[in-house]
Amino acid sequence: PTRSNTATITIDLSDVNEFDPLLDDSTFSVNENSAVNTAVGQVTATDADTSQSITYTIQSGNSSGAFLVNHSTGEIRVADATKLNFEATQQFTLTIQATDNGQPTRSDTATVTINVTDVNEFDPVLNDAAFALNENTANNTLVGQVNATDDDTSQTISYAILSGNGSGVFSLNANNGELRVADASKLDFETTRQFALTIQATDNGQPKRSDTATVIIDLLDVNEFDPLLDDSTF
């Protein structure tokens, strides 16, 4: 008679590196002057070859050495804080490569944009100024203009009169620093020959920074009156 036996045959499938890893473009932000090792962001590739592990490298855009990427996790960190200066460079564009460990290896690249955020490092600078103005000058006449500078180039400046304008004789444009006559009736050389205004320039950073300056306005006499000579008898 026939005889038989059975056995279990195990067939192990070996992974073939069929798929490229997929790495998407990303955008991150970091404050200028951020300390070394500050976390900027993380890139993460996917791979349909589930047995693969991924390594990450920066291919281009990091010639200054401002950043580094963790080869295993894809985490991007600050490597050189001195390179993060908004006034010099407002954006970095890195090309990062994700590479699997198959045979042969497969890879993908992505563009990682890192925007440098301005930090309010500097006070605006507003210099003292002096202007001259005829007495009785009409309302809205331009007296002069103050103009502050700010090394934080992204900041906008607003202006305000802090003191010296109690009579409301002048107005100040908060946006452009133009100083104009607001009440011509107060411009009387025979009463007041000089006004000293304290003007403040304030930036819009967080926290805000400001500077003040003294603006002198000298009134010029206008020949308004005839001399008076009385009749006499000698």
Side-chain angles (χ1 to χ4, degrees):
T2 60
R3 291 175 177 269
S4 64
N5 195 9
T6 61
T8 300
I9 306 298
T10 301
I11 302 172
D12 293 321
L13 283 185
S14 299
D15 190 23
V16 173
N17 199 9
E18 306 168 87
F19 305 104
D20 292 335
L22 297 177
L23 185 61
D24 293 330
D25 294 342
S26 302
T27 300
F28 304 112
S29 297
V30 63
N31 285 340
E32 64 175 332
N33 307 321
S34 291
V36 171
N37 209 38
T38 297
V40 177
Q42 186 172 11
V43 294
T44 303
T46 58
D47 196 332
D49 294 304
T50 55
S51 67
Q52 306 291 346
S53 61
I54 306 293
T55 58
Y56 302 89
T57 54
I58 300 175
Q59 297 295 300
S60 65
N62 194 40
S63 58
S64 65
F67 305 100
L68 58 82
V69 64
N70 186 299
H71 296 311
S72 300
T73 65
E75 189 176 52
I76 301 169
R77 290 183 176 270
V78 175
D80 187 348
T82 65
K83 301 300 190 296
L84 301 182
N85 180 11
F86 179 87
E87 285 67 41
T89 305
Q90 298 178 11
Q91 187 180 82
F92 293 85
T93 303
L94 309 182
T95 299
I96 292 184
Q97 184 177 68
T99 305
D100 64 24
N101 66 332
Q103 291 298 326
T105 60
R106 289 175 176 262
S107 63
D108 187 25
T109 59
T111 298
V112 175
T113 302
I114 301 174
N115 294 312
V116 179
T117 303
D118 191 22
V119 173
N120 200 9
E121 306 167 88
F122 305 105
D123 291 336
V125 176
L126 185 63
N127 294 322
D128 294 342
F131 305 111
L133 180 68
N134 286 338
E135 64 174 333
N136 306 321
T137 298
N139 287 344
N140 207 40
T141 299
L142 179 65
V143 179
Q145 185 172 14
V146 293
N147 186 27
T149 59
D150 195 332
D151 287 338
D152 293 303
T153 55
S154 69
Q155 306 291 348
T156 58
I157 307 295
S158 60
Y159 302 91
I161 300 175
L162 296 186
S163 64
N165 195 39
S167 61
V169 63
F170 302 106
S171 64
L172 180 66
N173 187 305
N175 296 317
N176 62 25
E178 283 187 348
L179 191 64
R180 293 182 178 272
V181 175
D183 188 348
S185 69
K186 302 295 195 307
L187 299 180
D188 181 15
F189 179 85
E190 285 68 38
T191 301
T192 306
R193 299 187 177 188
Q194 186 181 82
F195 296 86
L197 308 182
T198 300
I199 292 180
Q200 184 178 64
T202 305
D203 65 25
N204 66 331
Q206 293 297 327
K208 296 180 184 298
R209 290 175 177 262
S210 62
D211 187 26
T212 59
T214 299
V215 175
I216 301 297
I217 302 169
D218 290 312
L219 279 190
L220 303 178
D221 190 21
V222 174
N223 199 8
E224 307 166 88
F225 307 108
D226 294 331
L228 297 178
L229 183 61
D230 295 331
D231 296 339
S232 302
T233 300
F234 303 112

